[in-house]
């Protein structure tokens, strides 16, 4: 190939390259290229005019001139608003310098900043960083906040983030037959419509699901559960947590003259909050029962029509003594939740009472427990054997069926074996309904005094004392193990009820004592024996009604005794092996 042929080939290649560059928009048409030919016969520059190349494709619109394009959005991460140590809502976290709930007084007692620097994504080339520190030399110490620019030294970094869905986890859009054509026609550049659509989806409210330990949110804050913290005094800002059962007692200092102004003593303070089921739905707290306790400890349950009468506490003067009535003494929340972590029902049980100056400081009791939807609580007293100190699980036999737990059908809510509870007044007519659970392994004894007068008849007192000793719904069965199921009918131990009367005939018999004997044994291996109840006997002792003069006092008592009937354990060994081999008849010859 000669020099001229080589020159023509070079010009053809340059023309093809120029046509491609013209389509790409890098070199406009009409550009003159000067080609120097060194080593050829001619050193004169050859002017070349690039001609437009015909193509069957329609000219592509440049990306910058598309109708859907717009300015790229600025980064949306504000490091000054980020705070990873802010764990408590509406409360100041200790040593959390970025907590917006902390005031200058809180900062003055901080020892150090737990999170000194807060940044966004570390892959950015340049980003803002929030720097927190404490000026301990100031009086009082102060928090120092700085917003500085931080440069990423890496050569592989993100200059700017302009794709908003990449900053959070969203559900991907599933393509089907109906949406395929629409997605194919969508432009691949940045679109204002697409950006606004993404913002709408991200800002839409999501259904809130509670998890274990998360504070229960209300319409204004969170569900408050008073409890003692550093002392026995009640702290009202303690939040109730999801699936965390609590039962606490705390004291409160009150002034009887201003008890009407203390909202923590009123029923409305505990019944007015509305628990958030999700971002939109609210669950009201329903008052299920109200029990009034008088100064002499008598209990009276109010009907539904009388609830408004005790909705507000008030001061009553009884001579020189001031008494504050309808004061909240005990609060019990019963919250029903679903498998999805939503609170769907909130019940409230209250104990109100009268408070005098002798009862100050006042002791209050608060309890919250959770019940799963379509289930009933089954408290266990062991797994499988009974644990010392836990209550005996009891049930009763209906006309047809098997033993089942005693729940809210009676005052014995958890299905426990109970007996009469002793009080300081020792008045039998005032302690009806006050029961104490029988704890496994604990021998217990309680009682009260009955004052007999001429106005009291034997038949009325006999019925009253029998109901007092047995309680409401005396159980017919006791679970052999702490985790026995109600459907295991043959495993439950029946309660043998025996009535002993005096030998005096034709006289009214007055029940005066109830003794319960529980026999148990050690069941299972020697290394891990389990306590099993094998027999329960209840003995109701009655005596003849005494002749009453002016006034007479008799003692009513109950007792529970646990008897260990375990047989002594004996170590067992295998029998010694025997040799059944047959020897030949002349084995001992010539000795035998």
């Amino acid at each position: 190939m000669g020099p001229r042929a080589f020159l023509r080939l070079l010009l053809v290649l340059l023309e093809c390259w120029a046509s491609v560059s013209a389509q790409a928009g890098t070199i406009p048409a009409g550009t003159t290229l000067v080609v120097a030919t060194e080593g050829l016969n001619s050193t004169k520059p050859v002017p070349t005019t690039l001609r437009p190349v015909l193509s069957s494709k329609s000219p592509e619109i440049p990306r910058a001139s598309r109708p859907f394009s717009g300015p790229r959005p600025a980064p949306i991460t504000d490091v000054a608003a980020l705070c990873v140590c802010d764990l408590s809502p509406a409360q100041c976290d200790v040593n959390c310098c970025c907590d917006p709930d902390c005031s200058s007084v809180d900062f003055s007692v901080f020892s150090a900043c737990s999170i000194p620097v807060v940044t966004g994504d570390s892959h950015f080339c340049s980003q803002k960083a929030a720097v927190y520190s404490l000026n301990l030399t100031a009086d009082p110490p102060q928090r120092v906040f700085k917003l500085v620019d931080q440069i990423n030294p890496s050569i592989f970094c993100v200059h700017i983030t302009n794709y908003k869905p990449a900053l959070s986890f969203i559900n991907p859009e599933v393509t089907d037959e109906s949406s395929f054509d629409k997605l194919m026609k969508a432009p691949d550049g940045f679109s204002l419509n697409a950006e606004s659509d993404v913002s709408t989806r991200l800002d839409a409210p999501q259904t809130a699901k509670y998890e274990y330990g998360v504070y229960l949110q209300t319409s204004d804050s969170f569900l408050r559960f008073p409890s003692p913290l550093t002392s026995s005094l009640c702290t009202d800002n303690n939040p109730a947590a999801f699936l965390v059962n609590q039962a606490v007692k705390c004291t409160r200092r009150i002034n009887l003259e201003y008890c009407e102004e203390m909202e923590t003593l009123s029923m409305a303070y505990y019944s007015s909050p509305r628990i958030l089921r999700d971002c939109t739905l609210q669950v009201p707290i329903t008052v299920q029962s109200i029990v009034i306790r008088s100064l002499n400890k008598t209990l009276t349950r109010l009907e539904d029509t009388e609830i408004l009468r005790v909705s507000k506490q008030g001061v009553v003067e009884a001579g020189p003594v001031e008494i504050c009535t309808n004061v909240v003494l005990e609060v019990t929340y019963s919250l029903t939740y679903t498998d999805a972590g939503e609170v769907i029902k909130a019940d409230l049980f209250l104990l109100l009472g009268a408070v005098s100056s002798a009862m100050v400081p006042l002791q209050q009791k608060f309890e919250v427990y959770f019940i799963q939807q379509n289930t009933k609580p089954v408290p266990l007293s062991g797994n499988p054997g009974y644990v010392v100190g836990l209550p005996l699980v009891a049930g009763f036999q209906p006309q047809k069926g098997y033993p089942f737990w005693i729940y809210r059908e009676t005052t014995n809510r958890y299905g426990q074996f109970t007996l009469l509870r002793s009080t300081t007044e020792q008045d039998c007519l005032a302690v009806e309904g006050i029961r104490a659970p029988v704890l496994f392994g604990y021998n217990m004894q309680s009682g009260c005094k009955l004052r007999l007068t001429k106005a009291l008849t034997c038949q009325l007192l006999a019925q009253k004392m029998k109901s007092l000793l047995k309680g409401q719904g005396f159980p017919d069965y006791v679970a052999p193990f702490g985790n026995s199921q109600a459907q295991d009918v043959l495993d439950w131990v029946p309660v043998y009820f025996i009535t002993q009367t005096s030998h005096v005939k034709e006289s009214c018999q007055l029940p005066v004592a109830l003794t319960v004997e529980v026999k148990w044994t050690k069941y299972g291996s020697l290394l891990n024996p389990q306590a099993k109840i094998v027999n329960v006997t209840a003995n109701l002792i009655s005596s003849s009604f005494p002749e009453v003069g002016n006034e007479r006092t008799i003692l009513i008592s109950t007792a529970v005794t646990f008897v260990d009937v375990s047989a002594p354990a004996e170590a067992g060994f295998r029998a010694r092996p025997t040799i059944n081999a047959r020897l030949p008849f002349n084995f001992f010859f010539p000795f035998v």
Side-chain angles (χ1 to χ4, degrees):
M1 178 183 295
R4 293 186 178 275
F6 178 76
L7 180 59
R8 294 191 185 96
L9 179 61
L10 181 60
L11 292 177
V12 171
L13 294 176
L14 288 175
E15 185 177 356
C16 295
W17 172 80
S19 63
V20 174
S21 301
Q23 293 181 11
T26 57
I27 300 179
T31 303
T32 301
L33 298 180
V34 178
V35 181
T37 57
E38 298 181 359
L40 299 179
N41 293 335
S42 176
T43 59
K44 184 179 179 180
V46 181
T48 302
T49 301
L50 300 180
R51 297 184 298 271
V53 179
L54 299 178
S55 176
S56 58
K57 298 182 179 180
S58 59
E60 183 180 358
I61 300 176
R63 183 183 297 268
S65 62
R66 291 180 182 176
F68 294 98
S69 298
R72 296 177 182 269
I76 63 174
T77 303
D78 185 11
V79 294
L82 296 179
C83 190
V84 296
C85 58
D86 185 8
L87 304 179
S88 302
Q91 285 187 353
C92 178
D93 294 271
V94 179
N95 289 339
C96 184
C97 295
C98 58
D99 193 344
D101 299 323
C102 297
S103 61
S104 58
V105 179
D106 299 325
F107 293 137
S108 63
V109 296
F110 284 3
S111 59
C113 293
S114 58
I115 306 295
V117 180
V118 179
T119 59
D121 195 343
S122 60
H123 296 88
F124 290 153
C125 300
S126 176
Q127 62 175 331
K128 295 290 185 180
V131 181
Y132 299 92
S133 61
L134 293 176
N135 184 8
L136 301 178
T137 59
D139 187 17
Q142 301 175 354
R143 184 198 69 169
V144 179
F145 169 71
K146 295 181 181 179
L147 195 63
V148 299
D149 293 328
Q150 194 175 53
I151 306 299
N152 189 353
S154 176
I155 60 175
F156 300 102
C157 57
V158 179
H159 177 64
I160 192 172
T161 173
N162 46 30
Y163 186 53
K164 191 173 181 179
L167 301 178
S168 61
F169 297 98
I170 61 176
N171 295 327
E173 185 177 357
V174 179
T175 306
D176 52 11
E177 296 179 356
S178 60
S179 62
F180 181 77
D181 296 335
K182 182 183 68 174
L183 294 177
M184 286 297 296
K185 296 179 182 179
D188 56 351
F190 290 95
S191 171
L192 296 178
N193 295 336
E195 178 69 22
S196 61
D197 182 62
V198 171
S199 301
T200 303
R201 292 198 305 267
L202 289 178
D203 298 337
Q206 303 290 333
T207 303
K209 307 295 183 183
Y210 285 108
E211 297 180 356
Y212 176 83
V214 176
Y215 297 154
L216 295 176
Q217 301 292 328
T218 59
S219 56
D220 55 350
S221 180
F222 50 83
L223 182 62
R224 290 177 170 83
F225 185 79
S227 63
L229 292 181
T230 57
S231 64
S232 62
L233 297 179
C234 296
T235 303
D236 298 320
N237 291 330
N238 182 53
F242 184 64
L243 295 183
V244 178
N245 298 333
Q246 301 182 64
V248 298
K249 292 182 180 180
C250 58
T251 58
R252 194 180 298 275
R253 297 173 181 174
I254 63 175
N255 189 346
L256 295 180
E257 297 179 359
Y258 305 100
C259 75
E260 296 180 352
E261 303 176 2
M262 299 185 64
E263 58 178 4
T264 55
L265 302 181
S266 64
M267 181 183 70
Y269 180 79
Y270 305 97
S271 60
S272 59
R274 292 178 175 267
I275 302 176
L276 293 183
R277 178 176 179 175
D278 50 38
C279 296
T280 57
L281 297 179
Q282 299 179 3
V283 179
I285 298 178
T286 305
V287 179
Q288 293 293 344
S289 70
I290 297 179
V291 178
I292 300 295
R293 190 176 73 182
S294 61
L295 290 177
N296 57 1
K297 309 302 181 181
T298 58
L299 302 177
T300 305
R301 182 170 180 174
L302 298 183
E303 300 295 335
D304 296 338
T305 57
E306 299 178 330
I307 292 180
L308 296 177
R309 181 172 58 87
V310 296
S311 59
K312 184 67 176 178
Q313 70 273 20
V315 179
V316 178
E317 294 184 359
V321 180
E322 290 186 349
I323 300 175
C324 187
T325 60
N326 302 330
V327 175
V328 174
L329 302 178
E330 294 184 9
V331 177
T332 302
Y333 288 107
S334 175
L335 305 180
T336 304
Y337 67 97
T338 63
D339 295 336
E342 296 180 348
V343 178
I344 61 174
K345 186 180 179 182
D347 296 332
L348 178 62
F349 303 87
L350 294 172
L351 174 64
L352 308 181
V355 178
S356 61
S357 58
M359 302 172 60
V360 177
L362 176 66
Q363 184 182 65
Q364 291 179 311
K365 180 181 179 181
F366 302 93
E367 182 181 2
V368 57
Y369 61 91
F370 294 82
I371 302 176
Q372 189 173 353
Q373 186 184 20
N374 299 327
T375 60
K376 291 185 177 180
V378 182
L380 300 180
S381 296
N383 190 20
Y386 276 96
V387 177
V388 176
L390 295 183
L392 266 63
V393 183
F396 67 94
Q397 174 73 50
Q399 295 180 357
K400 293 182 180 180
Y402 49 79
F404 60 95
W405 311 112
I406 303 176
Y407 287 113
R408 296 194 182 276
E409 288 81 2
T410 65
T411 56
N412 188 358
R413 185 177 62 195
Y414 294 113
Q416 300 171 353
F417 204 129
T418 62
L419 77 162
L420 180 66
R421 178 188 295 180
S422 298
T423 60
T424 56
E425 290 78 10
Q426 295 291 314
D427 188 0
C428 291
L429 299 179
V431 298
E432 183 179 4
I434 303 178
R435 312 286 294 180
V438 176
L439 305 180
F440 180 80
Y442 283 62
N443 296 333
M444 306 173 66
Q445 185 174 1
S446 62
C448 59
K449 295 179 181 180
L450 177 64
R451 295 178 179 87
L452 300 179
T453 60
K454 292 183 179 181
L456 299 176
T457 61
C458 177
Q459 288 78 10
L460 178 62
L461 283 178
Q463 183 179 0
K464 188 81 172 179
M465 290 301 101
K466 186 175 181 180
S467 175
L468 176 67
L469 293 173
K470 296 180 61 176
Q472 184 181 10
F474 190 79
D476 300 321
Y477 287 85
V478 171
F481 293 104
N483 63 346
S484 297
Q485 301 297 322
Q487 58 268 22
D488 300 333
V489 185
L490 300 179
D491 293 342
W492 284 64
V493 179
V495 178
Y496 297 100
F497 196 86
I498 302 174
T499 302
Q500 291 184 358
T501 59
S502 62
H503 299 288
V504 180
K505 297 182 180 180
E506 298 180 357
S507 62
C508 180
Q509 301 293 323
L510 180 66
V512 294
L514 176 66
T515 60
V516 179
E517 184 183 59
V518 181
K519 296 181 180 180
W520 65 281
T521 183
K522 297 177 183 178
Y523 182 85
S525 64
L526 295 175
L527 297 178
N528 188 22
Q530 302 295 315
K532 177 183 178 182
I533 294 178
V534 295
N535 182 270
V536 179
T537 303
N539 192 356
L540 182 63
I541 303 175
S542 302
S543 63
S544 58
F545 190 76
E547 295 181 0
V548 181
N550 294 330
E551 185 176 345
R552 185 175 178 181
T553 302
I554 62 174
L555 180 64
I556 307 297
S557 63
T558 58
V560 177
T561 305
F562 287 85
V563 180
D564 186 1
V565 294
S566 302
E570 297 180 358
F573 299 96
R574 292 182 179 271
R576 294 183 178 273
T578 58
I579 300 175
N580 297 325
R582 299 181 63 182
L583 302 178
F585 70 94
N586 59 350
F587 181 78
F588 295 101
F589 180 81
F591 303 100
V592 177

